Short mmCIF file of all heavy atoms in Angstrom, two decimals:
data_model
loop_
_atom_site.label_atom_id
_atom_site.label_comp_id
_atom_site.label_asym_id
_atom_site.label_seq_id
_atom_site.Cartn_x
_atom_site.Cartn_y
_atom_site.Cartn_z
N LEU A 108 50.07 -120.98 -37.97
CA LEU A 108 49.42 -119.93 -38.75
C LEU A 108 47.90 -119.85 -38.55
O LEU A 108 47.30 -118.81 -38.82
CB LEU A 108 49.73 -120.12 -40.24
CG LEU A 108 51.22 -120.13 -40.64
CD1 LEU A 108 51.36 -119.98 -42.15
CD2 LEU A 108 52.02 -119.06 -39.94
N TYR A 112 46.30 -116.13 -38.53
CA TYR A 112 45.45 -115.59 -39.61
C TYR A 112 44.01 -115.39 -39.15
O TYR A 112 43.33 -114.50 -39.65
CB TYR A 112 45.54 -116.48 -40.86
CG TYR A 112 46.78 -116.11 -41.64
CD1 TYR A 112 47.98 -116.77 -41.44
CD2 TYR A 112 46.76 -115.02 -42.53
CE1 TYR A 112 49.13 -116.39 -42.12
CE2 TYR A 112 47.89 -114.65 -43.21
CZ TYR A 112 49.08 -115.33 -43.00
OH TYR A 112 50.21 -114.93 -43.67
N LYS A 115 44.15 -112.11 -37.33
CA LYS A 115 44.25 -111.03 -38.33
C LYS A 115 42.90 -110.78 -39.00
O LYS A 115 42.52 -109.64 -39.28
CB LYS A 115 45.31 -111.37 -39.38
CG LYS A 115 46.73 -111.22 -38.89
CD LYS A 115 47.72 -111.51 -40.02
CE LYS A 115 49.15 -111.32 -39.56
NZ LYS A 115 50.12 -111.63 -40.63
N LYS A 116 42.19 -111.87 -39.27
CA LYS A 116 40.85 -111.72 -39.88
C LYS A 116 39.93 -110.96 -38.93
O LYS A 116 39.21 -110.04 -39.35
CB LYS A 116 40.27 -113.11 -40.21
CG LYS A 116 38.85 -113.05 -40.75
CD LYS A 116 38.34 -114.43 -41.18
CE LYS A 116 36.89 -114.33 -41.64
NZ LYS A 116 36.38 -115.59 -42.21
N LYS A 119 40.69 -107.37 -38.89
CA LYS A 119 40.25 -106.68 -40.11
C LYS A 119 38.73 -106.53 -40.15
O LYS A 119 38.21 -105.55 -40.69
CB LYS A 119 40.74 -107.48 -41.32
CG LYS A 119 40.67 -106.73 -42.63
CD LYS A 119 41.44 -107.47 -43.73
CE LYS A 119 41.30 -106.77 -45.06
NZ LYS A 119 41.98 -107.53 -46.14
N PHE A 120 38.03 -107.51 -39.62
CA PHE A 120 36.56 -107.51 -39.62
C PHE A 120 36.04 -107.64 -38.18
O PHE A 120 35.47 -108.70 -37.81
CB PHE A 120 36.03 -108.66 -40.48
CG PHE A 120 36.57 -108.68 -41.88
CD1 PHE A 120 37.51 -109.63 -42.27
CD2 PHE A 120 36.16 -107.74 -42.82
CE1 PHE A 120 38.01 -109.65 -43.56
CE2 PHE A 120 36.67 -107.75 -44.12
CZ PHE A 120 37.60 -108.71 -44.49
N ARG A 145 58.82 -118.48 -36.91
CA ARG A 145 59.43 -119.48 -36.02
C ARG A 145 58.58 -119.60 -34.77
O ARG A 145 57.85 -118.69 -34.41
CB ARG A 145 60.86 -119.06 -35.64
CG ARG A 145 61.84 -119.24 -36.77
CD ARG A 145 63.12 -118.49 -36.52
NE ARG A 145 63.75 -118.89 -35.26
CZ ARG A 145 64.87 -118.31 -34.79
NH1 ARG A 145 65.44 -117.33 -35.46
NH2 ARG A 145 65.40 -118.72 -33.66
N THR A 199 51.38 -130.46 -35.18
CA THR A 199 51.65 -131.42 -36.26
C THR A 199 51.07 -132.80 -35.93
O THR A 199 51.10 -133.69 -36.78
CB THR A 199 53.15 -131.57 -36.54
OG1 THR A 199 53.79 -132.17 -35.41
CG2 THR A 199 53.80 -130.22 -36.83
N ALA A 260 51.12 -128.84 -40.51
CA ALA A 260 52.57 -128.60 -40.47
C ALA A 260 52.83 -127.17 -40.01
O ALA A 260 52.02 -126.26 -40.25
CB ALA A 260 53.20 -128.84 -41.84
N GLN A 261 53.94 -126.97 -39.34
CA GLN A 261 54.34 -125.62 -38.95
C GLN A 261 54.53 -124.78 -40.22
O GLN A 261 55.05 -125.26 -41.22
CB GLN A 261 55.65 -125.67 -38.16
CG GLN A 261 55.50 -126.39 -36.83
CD GLN A 261 56.82 -126.57 -36.11
OE1 GLN A 261 57.89 -126.44 -36.71
NE2 GLN A 261 56.76 -126.87 -34.82
N GLY A 262 54.10 -123.53 -40.14
CA GLY A 262 54.30 -122.64 -41.28
C GLY A 262 53.32 -122.85 -42.41
O GLY A 262 53.51 -122.31 -43.50
N VAL A 263 52.27 -123.63 -42.16
CA VAL A 263 51.28 -123.92 -43.19
C VAL A 263 49.89 -123.47 -42.73
O VAL A 263 49.51 -123.65 -41.58
CB VAL A 263 51.26 -125.44 -43.52
CG1 VAL A 263 49.98 -125.84 -44.24
CG2 VAL A 263 52.48 -125.81 -44.35
N LEU A 264 49.17 -122.89 -43.66
CA LEU A 264 47.80 -122.48 -43.41
C LEU A 264 46.88 -123.52 -44.05
O LEU A 264 46.97 -123.79 -45.25
CB LEU A 264 47.60 -121.11 -44.07
CG LEU A 264 46.39 -120.29 -43.68
CD1 LEU A 264 46.30 -120.10 -42.18
CD2 LEU A 264 46.50 -118.92 -44.36
N ASN A 265 46.01 -124.10 -43.23
CA ASN A 265 45.10 -125.12 -43.74
C ASN A 265 43.68 -124.54 -43.69
O ASN A 265 43.14 -124.25 -42.61
CB ASN A 265 45.21 -126.37 -42.85
CG ASN A 265 44.26 -127.47 -43.27
OD1 ASN A 265 43.05 -127.30 -43.19
ND2 ASN A 265 44.79 -128.58 -43.74
N ALA A 266 43.10 -124.34 -44.86
CA ALA A 266 41.82 -123.62 -44.96
C ALA A 266 40.71 -124.34 -44.19
O ALA A 266 39.87 -123.70 -43.55
CB ALA A 266 41.43 -123.45 -46.42
N ASP A 267 40.71 -125.65 -44.26
CA ASP A 267 39.66 -126.42 -43.60
C ASP A 267 39.73 -126.21 -42.08
O ASP A 267 38.73 -125.90 -41.43
CB ASP A 267 39.84 -127.89 -43.97
CG ASP A 267 38.66 -128.74 -43.55
OD1 ASP A 267 37.56 -128.19 -43.40
OD2 ASP A 267 38.83 -129.95 -43.36
N LEU A 269 41.23 -123.83 -40.57
CA LEU A 269 40.99 -122.41 -40.29
C LEU A 269 39.49 -122.17 -40.11
O LEU A 269 39.06 -121.50 -39.16
CB LEU A 269 41.55 -121.57 -41.44
CG LEU A 269 41.61 -120.06 -41.23
CD1 LEU A 269 42.67 -119.69 -40.21
CD2 LEU A 269 41.90 -119.34 -42.55
N GLN A 270 38.70 -122.73 -41.01
CA GLN A 270 37.25 -122.56 -40.92
C GLN A 270 36.69 -123.22 -39.67
O GLN A 270 35.84 -122.66 -38.98
CB GLN A 270 36.58 -123.18 -42.16
CG GLN A 270 36.80 -122.38 -43.43
CD GLN A 270 36.02 -122.96 -44.59
OE1 GLN A 270 36.11 -124.17 -44.87
NE2 GLN A 270 35.27 -122.14 -45.31
N GLU A 316 71.10 -138.72 -29.28
CA GLU A 316 70.59 -138.90 -30.65
C GLU A 316 69.39 -139.87 -30.67
O GLU A 316 69.42 -140.90 -29.99
CB GLU A 316 71.68 -139.51 -31.53
CG GLU A 316 72.67 -138.52 -32.08
CD GLU A 316 72.16 -137.84 -33.35
OE1 GLU A 316 71.42 -138.46 -34.12
OE2 GLU A 316 72.52 -136.66 -33.54
N LEU A 317 68.39 -139.55 -31.48
CA LEU A 317 67.26 -140.47 -31.63
C LEU A 317 67.73 -141.82 -32.13
O LEU A 317 68.60 -141.91 -33.00
CB LEU A 317 66.25 -139.93 -32.65
CG LEU A 317 65.55 -138.60 -32.41
CD1 LEU A 317 64.32 -138.50 -33.32
CD2 LEU A 317 65.16 -138.40 -30.98
N GLN A 318 67.14 -142.86 -31.60
CA GLN A 318 67.42 -144.22 -32.08
C GLN A 318 66.20 -144.83 -32.75
O GLN A 318 66.26 -145.96 -33.24
CB GLN A 318 67.82 -145.11 -30.90
CG GLN A 318 69.18 -144.81 -30.32
CD GLN A 318 69.57 -145.86 -29.30
OE1 GLN A 318 68.87 -146.05 -28.31
NE2 GLN A 318 70.67 -146.54 -29.54
N ALA A 319 65.09 -144.12 -32.71
CA ALA A 319 63.84 -144.67 -33.23
C ALA A 319 62.89 -143.53 -33.58
O ALA A 319 63.05 -142.40 -33.09
CB ALA A 319 63.20 -145.59 -32.19
N ALA A 320 61.91 -143.85 -34.39
CA ALA A 320 60.83 -142.92 -34.69
C ALA A 320 59.53 -143.51 -34.13
O ALA A 320 59.48 -144.70 -33.79
CB ALA A 320 60.71 -142.73 -36.20
N VAL A 321 58.52 -142.68 -34.07
CA VAL A 321 57.20 -143.20 -33.68
C VAL A 321 56.82 -144.32 -34.66
O VAL A 321 57.02 -144.19 -35.88
CB VAL A 321 56.14 -142.07 -33.73
CG1 VAL A 321 54.73 -142.63 -33.64
CG2 VAL A 321 56.40 -141.07 -32.60
N PRO A 323 54.98 -146.62 -37.25
CA PRO A 323 53.94 -146.29 -38.23
C PRO A 323 52.53 -146.67 -37.77
O PRO A 323 51.57 -145.98 -38.11
CB PRO A 323 54.35 -147.12 -39.46
CG PRO A 323 55.82 -147.32 -39.33
CD PRO A 323 56.10 -147.39 -37.85
N GLN A 326 51.59 -143.72 -35.47
CA GLN A 326 51.58 -142.39 -36.07
C GLN A 326 50.14 -141.97 -36.41
O GLN A 326 49.38 -142.76 -36.99
CB GLN A 326 52.45 -142.40 -37.34
CG GLN A 326 52.46 -141.11 -38.13
CD GLN A 326 53.09 -139.96 -37.37
OE1 GLN A 326 54.09 -140.12 -36.69
NE2 GLN A 326 52.48 -138.78 -37.46
N LEU A 341 59.63 -147.45 -33.69
CA LEU A 341 60.33 -148.33 -34.62
C LEU A 341 61.78 -147.88 -34.66
O LEU A 341 62.08 -146.74 -35.05
CB LEU A 341 59.70 -148.24 -36.02
CG LEU A 341 60.30 -149.15 -37.08
CD1 LEU A 341 60.11 -150.63 -36.72
CD2 LEU A 341 59.68 -148.86 -38.45
N PHE A 343 65.64 -147.49 -35.86
CA PHE A 343 66.19 -147.34 -37.20
C PHE A 343 66.79 -148.65 -37.69
O PHE A 343 66.98 -148.84 -38.89
CB PHE A 343 67.24 -146.22 -37.22
CG PHE A 343 66.68 -144.88 -36.81
CD1 PHE A 343 67.43 -143.99 -36.06
CD2 PHE A 343 65.39 -144.51 -37.18
CE1 PHE A 343 66.91 -142.76 -35.68
CE2 PHE A 343 64.86 -143.29 -36.80
CZ PHE A 343 65.62 -142.41 -36.05
N THR A 344 67.09 -149.55 -36.78
CA THR A 344 67.60 -150.86 -37.16
C THR A 344 66.47 -151.85 -37.46
O THR A 344 66.74 -152.99 -37.81
CB THR A 344 68.48 -151.41 -36.02
OG1 THR A 344 67.80 -151.19 -34.78
CG2 THR A 344 69.83 -150.70 -35.99
N ASN A 362 54.25 -137.34 -31.95
CA ASN A 362 55.21 -136.86 -32.97
C ASN A 362 55.01 -135.36 -33.29
O ASN A 362 55.15 -134.95 -34.44
CB ASN A 362 55.09 -137.70 -34.25
CG ASN A 362 56.43 -137.87 -34.95
OD1 ASN A 362 57.45 -137.35 -34.52
ND2 ASN A 362 56.42 -138.58 -36.07
N ALA A 364 56.16 -131.80 -33.79
CA ALA A 364 57.47 -131.28 -34.19
C ALA A 364 58.13 -130.48 -33.06
O ALA A 364 59.33 -130.62 -32.81
CB ALA A 364 57.32 -130.41 -35.43
N TYR A 367 60.14 -132.38 -29.94
CA TYR A 367 61.41 -133.12 -29.99
C TYR A 367 62.40 -132.51 -28.99
O TYR A 367 63.04 -133.21 -28.23
CB TYR A 367 62.01 -133.09 -31.40
CG TYR A 367 61.40 -134.06 -32.38
CD1 TYR A 367 60.07 -133.95 -32.78
CD2 TYR A 367 62.16 -135.09 -32.94
CE1 TYR A 367 59.52 -134.84 -33.71
CE2 TYR A 367 61.62 -135.98 -33.86
CZ TYR A 367 60.31 -135.85 -34.24
OH TYR A 367 59.77 -136.73 -35.15
N LEU B 53 63.85 -134.02 -41.84
CA LEU B 53 64.54 -135.03 -41.04
C LEU B 53 64.72 -136.37 -41.75
O LEU B 53 65.59 -137.15 -41.37
CB LEU B 53 63.80 -135.24 -39.71
CG LEU B 53 63.61 -134.00 -38.81
CD1 LEU B 53 63.19 -134.42 -37.40
CD2 LEU B 53 64.85 -133.12 -38.74
N TYR B 57 68.19 -138.32 -41.04
CA TYR B 57 68.29 -139.55 -40.25
C TYR B 57 68.68 -140.74 -41.11
O TYR B 57 69.34 -141.67 -40.64
CB TYR B 57 67.01 -139.78 -39.44
CG TYR B 57 67.04 -138.96 -38.18
CD1 TYR B 57 66.48 -137.69 -38.14
CD2 TYR B 57 67.72 -139.42 -37.06
CE1 TYR B 57 66.56 -136.91 -37.00
CE2 TYR B 57 67.80 -138.65 -35.91
CZ TYR B 57 67.22 -137.40 -35.88
OH TYR B 57 67.32 -136.63 -34.75
N LYS B 60 72.41 -140.39 -41.47
CA LYS B 60 73.04 -140.78 -40.20
C LYS B 60 73.04 -142.30 -40.03
O LYS B 60 74.00 -142.88 -39.54
CB LYS B 60 72.31 -140.13 -39.01
CG LYS B 60 72.62 -138.65 -38.83
CD LYS B 60 71.89 -138.10 -37.60
CE LYS B 60 72.21 -136.63 -37.39
NZ LYS B 60 71.50 -136.08 -36.21
N LYS B 61 71.93 -142.93 -40.46
CA LYS B 61 71.88 -144.39 -40.38
C LYS B 61 72.95 -145.01 -41.27
O LYS B 61 73.66 -145.95 -40.86
CB LYS B 61 70.48 -144.88 -40.80
CG LYS B 61 70.35 -146.39 -40.84
CD LYS B 61 68.93 -146.85 -41.14
CE LYS B 61 68.87 -148.37 -41.26
NZ LYS B 61 67.49 -148.87 -41.39
N LYS B 64 76.29 -144.74 -39.75
CA LYS B 64 76.48 -145.65 -38.62
C LYS B 64 76.63 -147.10 -39.10
O LYS B 64 77.34 -147.89 -38.49
CB LYS B 64 75.27 -145.54 -37.68
CG LYS B 64 75.49 -146.14 -36.31
CD LYS B 64 74.37 -145.74 -35.35
CE LYS B 64 74.53 -146.40 -34.00
NZ LYS B 64 73.40 -146.07 -33.10
N PHE B 65 75.93 -147.43 -40.18
CA PHE B 65 75.95 -148.80 -40.71
C PHE B 65 76.36 -148.76 -42.19
O PHE B 65 75.53 -149.01 -43.08
CB PHE B 65 74.58 -149.46 -40.57
CG PHE B 65 74.04 -149.45 -39.16
CD1 PHE B 65 73.00 -148.60 -38.81
CD2 PHE B 65 74.57 -150.29 -38.20
CE1 PHE B 65 72.49 -148.59 -37.51
CE2 PHE B 65 74.07 -150.29 -36.89
CZ PHE B 65 73.04 -149.42 -36.55
N ARG B 90 66.41 -125.84 -38.61
CA ARG B 90 65.80 -124.85 -39.50
C ARG B 90 66.18 -125.17 -40.93
O ARG B 90 67.17 -125.84 -41.20
CB ARG B 90 66.31 -123.44 -39.16
CG ARG B 90 65.69 -122.89 -37.88
CD ARG B 90 66.45 -121.69 -37.35
NE ARG B 90 66.55 -120.61 -38.33
CZ ARG B 90 67.26 -119.50 -38.11
NH1 ARG B 90 67.92 -119.33 -36.99
NH2 ARG B 90 67.31 -118.56 -39.03
N THR B 144 56.05 -130.63 -47.08
CA THR B 144 54.76 -130.65 -46.40
C THR B 144 53.61 -130.90 -47.38
O THR B 144 52.47 -131.06 -46.95
CB THR B 144 54.49 -129.33 -45.64
OG1 THR B 144 54.33 -128.27 -46.58
CG2 THR B 144 55.63 -128.99 -44.69
N ALA B 205 55.57 -132.94 -42.03
CA ALA B 205 55.80 -131.62 -41.45
C ALA B 205 57.29 -131.41 -41.24
O ALA B 205 58.05 -132.35 -41.01
CB ALA B 205 55.06 -131.49 -40.12
N GLN B 206 57.71 -130.15 -41.32
CA GLN B 206 59.10 -129.82 -41.02
C GLN B 206 59.40 -130.20 -39.57
O GLN B 206 58.57 -130.02 -38.68
CB GLN B 206 59.33 -128.32 -41.23
CG GLN B 206 59.17 -127.91 -42.70
CD GLN B 206 59.24 -126.39 -42.89
OE1 GLN B 206 59.12 -125.63 -41.94
NE2 GLN B 206 59.44 -125.98 -44.13
N GLY B 207 60.60 -130.71 -39.36
CA GLY B 207 61.00 -131.05 -38.00
C GLY B 207 60.39 -132.33 -37.47
O GLY B 207 60.48 -132.60 -36.27
N VAL B 208 59.78 -133.11 -38.35
CA VAL B 208 59.13 -134.36 -37.93
C VAL B 208 59.75 -135.54 -38.69
O VAL B 208 60.03 -135.45 -39.87
CB VAL B 208 57.61 -134.31 -38.20
CG1 VAL B 208 56.99 -135.70 -38.18
CG2 VAL B 208 56.92 -133.42 -37.17
N LEU B 209 59.95 -136.62 -37.95
CA LEU B 209 60.46 -137.85 -38.53
C LEU B 209 59.28 -138.79 -38.70
O LEU B 209 58.57 -139.09 -37.74
CB LEU B 209 61.48 -138.44 -37.57
CG LEU B 209 62.41 -139.53 -38.05
CD1 LEU B 209 63.15 -139.11 -39.30
CD2 LEU B 209 63.41 -139.84 -36.93
N ASN B 210 59.05 -139.25 -39.92
CA ASN B 210 57.94 -140.14 -40.20
C ASN B 210 58.52 -141.51 -40.56
O ASN B 210 59.20 -141.66 -41.58
CB ASN B 210 57.11 -139.56 -41.36
CG ASN B 210 55.95 -140.45 -41.73
OD1 ASN B 210 56.15 -141.58 -42.19
ND2 ASN B 210 54.74 -139.98 -41.53
N ALA B 211 58.27 -142.49 -39.69
CA ALA B 211 58.93 -143.80 -39.84
C ALA B 211 58.57 -144.46 -41.16
O ALA B 211 59.42 -145.10 -41.80
CB ALA B 211 58.54 -144.70 -38.68
N ASP B 212 57.32 -144.33 -41.58
CA ASP B 212 56.87 -144.97 -42.80
C ASP B 212 57.62 -144.40 -44.01
O ASP B 212 58.18 -145.15 -44.83
CB ASP B 212 55.36 -144.75 -42.94
CG ASP B 212 54.76 -145.59 -44.04
OD1 ASP B 212 55.33 -146.64 -44.37
OD2 ASP B 212 53.70 -145.20 -44.56
N LEU B 214 60.38 -142.78 -43.91
CA LEU B 214 61.81 -143.06 -43.74
C LEU B 214 62.13 -144.43 -44.36
O LEU B 214 63.09 -144.58 -45.11
CB LEU B 214 62.14 -143.06 -42.24
CG LEU B 214 63.61 -143.12 -41.86
CD1 LEU B 214 64.31 -141.81 -42.20
CD2 LEU B 214 63.77 -143.40 -40.36
N GLN B 215 61.28 -145.42 -44.08
CA GLN B 215 61.49 -146.75 -44.64
C GLN B 215 61.36 -146.74 -46.16
O GLN B 215 62.15 -147.36 -46.88
CB GLN B 215 60.47 -147.73 -44.05
CG GLN B 215 60.73 -148.07 -42.60
CD GLN B 215 59.76 -149.13 -42.08
OE1 GLN B 215 58.55 -148.99 -42.23
NE2 GLN B 215 60.28 -150.17 -41.47
N GLU B 261 50.27 -109.25 -47.71
CA GLU B 261 49.60 -110.18 -46.78
C GLU B 261 48.72 -111.17 -47.54
O GLU B 261 48.02 -110.79 -48.49
CB GLU B 261 48.69 -109.39 -45.83
CG GLU B 261 49.37 -108.79 -44.65
CD GLU B 261 49.53 -109.78 -43.49
OE1 GLU B 261 48.69 -110.67 -43.33
OE2 GLU B 261 50.53 -109.64 -42.78
N LEU B 262 48.72 -112.42 -47.11
CA LEU B 262 47.84 -113.41 -47.73
C LEU B 262 46.38 -112.98 -47.60
O LEU B 262 45.97 -112.46 -46.57
CB LEU B 262 47.97 -114.77 -47.04
CG LEU B 262 49.30 -115.50 -47.04
CD1 LEU B 262 49.08 -116.97 -46.68
CD2 LEU B 262 50.03 -115.39 -48.35
N GLN B 263 45.62 -113.21 -48.64
CA GLN B 263 44.18 -112.96 -48.61
C GLN B 263 43.38 -114.25 -48.70
O GLN B 263 42.15 -114.23 -48.63
CB GLN B 263 43.79 -112.06 -49.79
CG GLN B 263 44.29 -110.63 -49.66
CD GLN B 263 43.69 -109.77 -50.74
OE1 GLN B 263 43.88 -110.03 -51.93
NE2 GLN B 263 42.93 -108.76 -50.35
N ALA B 264 44.08 -115.34 -48.90
CA ALA B 264 43.39 -116.62 -49.11
C ALA B 264 44.33 -117.76 -48.77
O ALA B 264 45.55 -117.58 -48.72
CB ALA B 264 42.93 -116.74 -50.56
N ALA B 265 43.75 -118.91 -48.54
CA ALA B 265 44.52 -120.15 -48.36
C ALA B 265 44.21 -121.08 -49.53
O ALA B 265 43.24 -120.86 -50.27
CB ALA B 265 44.14 -120.81 -47.04
N VAL B 266 45.01 -122.11 -49.67
CA VAL B 266 44.69 -123.13 -50.67
C VAL B 266 43.30 -123.69 -50.37
O VAL B 266 42.96 -123.95 -49.21
CB VAL B 266 45.74 -124.26 -50.63
CG1 VAL B 266 45.28 -125.47 -51.43
CG2 VAL B 266 47.09 -123.75 -51.14
N PRO B 268 40.23 -126.01 -49.66
CA PRO B 268 40.18 -127.37 -49.08
C PRO B 268 40.03 -128.47 -50.13
O PRO B 268 40.57 -129.56 -49.97
CB PRO B 268 38.95 -127.32 -48.17
CG PRO B 268 38.80 -125.89 -47.79
CD PRO B 268 39.28 -125.09 -48.98
N GLN B 271 43.64 -128.89 -51.42
CA GLN B 271 44.65 -129.29 -50.44
C GLN B 271 44.94 -130.79 -50.54
O GLN B 271 44.00 -131.59 -50.60
CB GLN B 271 44.15 -128.94 -49.03
CG GLN B 271 45.07 -129.35 -47.89
CD GLN B 271 46.39 -128.62 -47.89
OE1 GLN B 271 46.46 -127.42 -48.15
NE2 GLN B 271 47.47 -129.35 -47.62
N LEU B 286 40.70 -120.34 -51.27
CA LEU B 286 39.52 -119.91 -50.51
C LEU B 286 39.91 -118.63 -49.78
O LEU B 286 40.82 -118.64 -48.94
CB LEU B 286 39.11 -120.99 -49.51
CG LEU B 286 37.86 -120.70 -48.68
CD1 LEU B 286 36.63 -120.56 -49.57
CD2 LEU B 286 37.63 -121.79 -47.63
N PHE B 288 39.77 -115.52 -47.17
CA PHE B 288 39.41 -115.51 -45.75
C PHE B 288 37.99 -114.96 -45.56
O PHE B 288 37.36 -115.19 -44.53
CB PHE B 288 40.41 -114.68 -44.95
CG PHE B 288 41.82 -115.22 -45.04
CD1 PHE B 288 42.91 -114.36 -45.10
CD2 PHE B 288 42.05 -116.58 -45.07
CE1 PHE B 288 44.20 -114.87 -45.20
CE2 PHE B 288 43.33 -117.10 -45.16
CZ PHE B 288 44.42 -116.24 -45.22
N THR B 289 37.51 -114.25 -46.56
CA THR B 289 36.13 -113.75 -46.51
C THR B 289 35.13 -114.78 -47.01
O THR B 289 33.93 -114.52 -47.01
CB THR B 289 36.03 -112.47 -47.35
OG1 THR B 289 36.69 -112.69 -48.60
CG2 THR B 289 36.68 -111.29 -46.64
N ASN B 307 50.84 -125.97 -51.20
CA ASN B 307 50.89 -125.51 -49.80
C ASN B 307 52.14 -125.98 -49.07
O ASN B 307 52.09 -126.31 -47.87
CB ASN B 307 49.63 -125.97 -49.04
CG ASN B 307 49.18 -124.95 -47.99
OD1 ASN B 307 49.82 -123.90 -47.81
ND2 ASN B 307 48.12 -125.26 -47.29
N GLU B 308 53.26 -126.00 -49.77
CA GLU B 308 54.55 -126.35 -49.14
C GLU B 308 54.97 -125.20 -48.22
O GLU B 308 55.05 -124.04 -48.64
CB GLU B 308 55.60 -126.59 -50.24
CG GLU B 308 57.05 -126.44 -49.83
CD GLU B 308 57.52 -127.35 -48.69
OE1 GLU B 308 57.09 -128.52 -48.65
OE2 GLU B 308 58.28 -126.86 -47.83
N ALA B 309 55.25 -125.55 -46.96
CA ALA B 309 55.57 -124.53 -45.94
C ALA B 309 56.72 -123.62 -46.37
O ALA B 309 56.67 -122.41 -46.20
CB ALA B 309 55.91 -125.21 -44.61
N TYR B 312 56.10 -120.42 -48.98
CA TYR B 312 55.37 -119.16 -48.74
C TYR B 312 56.29 -117.98 -48.99
O TYR B 312 55.91 -117.01 -49.66
CB TYR B 312 54.85 -119.11 -47.29
CG TYR B 312 53.59 -119.90 -47.01
CD1 TYR B 312 53.56 -121.29 -47.12
CD2 TYR B 312 52.41 -119.27 -46.61
CE1 TYR B 312 52.41 -122.01 -46.85
CE2 TYR B 312 51.25 -119.99 -46.33
CZ TYR B 312 51.26 -121.36 -46.45
OH TYR B 312 50.12 -122.07 -46.18
#
Side-chain angles (χ1 to χ4, degrees):
Chain A
L108 302 194
Y112 278 93
K115 285 183 179 179
K116 176 175 177 174
K119 194 168 177 184
F120 306 107
R145 286 165 57 183
T199 67
Q261 295 174 344
V263 162
L264 196 53
N265 178 295
D267 191 24
L269 190 70
Q270 288 185 309
E316 278 276 328
L317 299 197
Q318 289 188 301
V321 168
Q326 176 65 41
L341 183 63
F343 300 143
T344 45
N362 214 358
Y367 280 65
Chain B
L53 303 194
Y57 278 93
K60 284 182 179 179
K61 176 175 177 173
K64 195 168 176 183
F65 305 106
R90 285 165 57 185
T144 67
Q206 295 174 344
V208 163
L209 195 54
N210 179 295
D212 190 25
L214 190 70
Q215 289 184 309
E261 277 276 329
L262 299 197
Q263 290 189 300
V266 168
Q271 177 66 40
L286 183 62
F288 299 142
T289 46
N307 214 0
E308 157 59 39
Y312 281 64

